Amino acid sequence: MSKVVGSEIVKYKRTWLWILPLIIPFIIILANALNIFLRYDTIVQQAAQDGMTMWDPIWIFSFFLILLAVPLEVTLVTSIIANIEHQGNSWKSIFSMLVSRFHVYLNKFVWSTVLTIISGFILMIGIIVLGMMLGNDTFPWTHILGFSLFPFLTAIPLIALQLWLALTFQNQAIPITIGSLGILLTILGGQLLLGRWLPWTFYIQVLPSPDQEVVGLPWGIVGTSFIIGLLLLCFGLLHFRKKEFA
């Protein structure tokens, strides 16, 4: 297992995989900052009229950015991790290392999950800094976590699904297309009969409403997403163990 982890690190160093967890939250914070500071006087006036704080513009704009950012990052991270092996035709070499397919698959899932959640932590720090720059002296942690760490944390079912697809299809255009179409399922999820159980909708369910006083953090949704993610991980693993690689 240690050999697999070591070889993965060497392979990932040759890609821009390490930059993704930084790029996604940076774009969200930068877009938020530009939106607010370019319209600063208007936003301040509107906030005063509506009884809002300077946190509210961050929540409103972040909602639409996170809607796109989470599935985009998950799709790209899992696709890059899988495509390294597909392009190099290195599956037989990996399996010859006397390491079980279970450990190979689990290792790639852990890397995908860790890199995705790192983005959530970075985004949380960025939102706190931006809020302080806007003069906020209180920190509504339910909203801060809800618009930063929690959407990435509840993306685990989506990570399990996209990794399964990325490892199954050598042509990465297929999982990338499915990941892109998943954004539509995110938007339509609430209108579908079982929409709330789709892998694409959990990260939206944890987003708090900007004008709603939330009593607690949505740990129930987080726990449910973990269970669904674990089930998808098991299905993907069972398929991966039986799959023939060229």
Side-chain angles (χ1 to χ4, degrees), residues 8 11-12 15-18 20 70-88 90-91 105 108-109 111-113 115-116 158-180:
E8 295 281 293
K11 286 181 288 189
Y12 296 162
T15 70
W16 52 289
L17 182 65
W18 304 103
L20 275 177
V70 173
L72 175 63
E73 176 164 355
V74 169
T75 300
L76 291 177
V77 166
T78 53
S79 180
I80 292 173
I81 286 178
N83 201 43
I84 291 173
E85 315 301 348
H86 290 315
Q87 283 190 335
S90 55
W91 289 115
Y105 195 92
K108 294 185 181 299
F109 174 77
W111 274 109
S112 302
T113 303
L115 290 171
T116 300
L158 187 55
I159 295 171
L161 176 62
Q162 287 295 143
L163 181 64
W164 183 3
L165 294 171
L167 291 174
T168 299
F169 297 102
Q170 186 167 0
N171 182 0
Q172 290 304 294
I174 297 175
I176 289 175
T177 300
I178 294 175
S180 301

Side-chain angles (χ1 to χ4, degrees), residues 13-235:
K13 283 182 178 179
R14 304 168 188 167
T15 70
W16 52 289
L17 182 65
W18 304 103
I19 305 176
L20 275 177
L22 301 174
I23 290 179
I24 299 298
F26 176 77
I27 291 175
I28 294 176
I29 295 301
L30 180 61
N32 252 311
L34 290 175
N35 174 63
I36 293 172
F37 288 114
L38 290 177
R39 303 188 301 117
Y40 185 77
D41 293 337
T42 302
I43 289 177
V44 170
Q45 183 178 3
Q46 183 178 358
Q49 291 176 350
D50 298 340
M52 299 188 302
T53 69
M54 289 304 290
W55 284 111
D56 291 284
I58 299 178
W59 312 144
I60 294 170
F61 201 51
S62 292
F63 178 88
F64 299 101
L65 295 173
I66 291 173
L67 185 71
L68 301 174
V70 173
L72 175 63
E73 176 164 355
V74 169
T75 300
L76 291 177
V77 166
T78 53
S79 180
I80 292 173
I81 286 178
N83 201 43
I84 291 173
E85 315 301 348
H86 290 315
Q87 283 190 335
N89 294 320
S90 55
W91 289 115
K92 290 185 177 180
S93 175
I94 293 174
F95 298 146
S96 67
M97 297 171 63
L98 300 179
V99 179
S100 68
R101 292 196 178 198
F102 170 82
H103 288 110
V104 172
Y105 195 92
L106 184 63
N107 182 59
K108 294 185 181 299
F109 174 77
V110 169
W111 274 109
S112 302
T113 303
V114 169
L115 290 171
T116 300
I117 293 178
I118 285 175
S119 285
F121 279 108
I122 296 174
L123 180 58
M124 179 177 65
I125 295 172
I127 285 178
I128 292 173
V129 172
L130 180 59
M132 293 173 65
M133 291 174 62
L134 293 173
N136 291 300
D137 54 3
T138 60
F139 296 91
W141 289 107
T142 298
H143 282 68
I144 291 174
L145 292 172
F147 283 98
S148 58
L149 179 60
F150 273 44
F152 291 90
L153 198 63
T154 51
I156 290 180
L158 187 55
I159 295 171
L161 176 62
Q162 287 295 143
L163 181 64
W164 183 3
L165 294 171
L167 291 174
T168 299
F169 297 102
Q170 186 167 0
N171 182 0
Q172 290 304 294
I174 297 175
I176 289 175
T177 300
I178 294 175
S180 301
L181 292 175
I183 297 176
L184 295 177
L185 290 176
T186 297
I187 299 172
L188 299 174
Q191 303 176 19
L192 300 175
L193 181 61
L194 298 176
R196 64 189 301 266
W197 300 100
L198 293 174
W200 295 275
T201 62
F202 285 102
Y203 76 96
I204 293 297
Q205 295 178 47
V206 298
L207 292 176
S209 175
D211 57 354
Q212 180 181 357
E213 291 293 334
V214 182
V215 177
L217 294 169
W219 290 112
I221 299 175
V222 174
T224 303
S225 71
F226 279 13
I227 295 173
I228 299 297
L230 182 60
L231 291 174
L232 289 172
L233 175 63
C234 292
F235 287 134

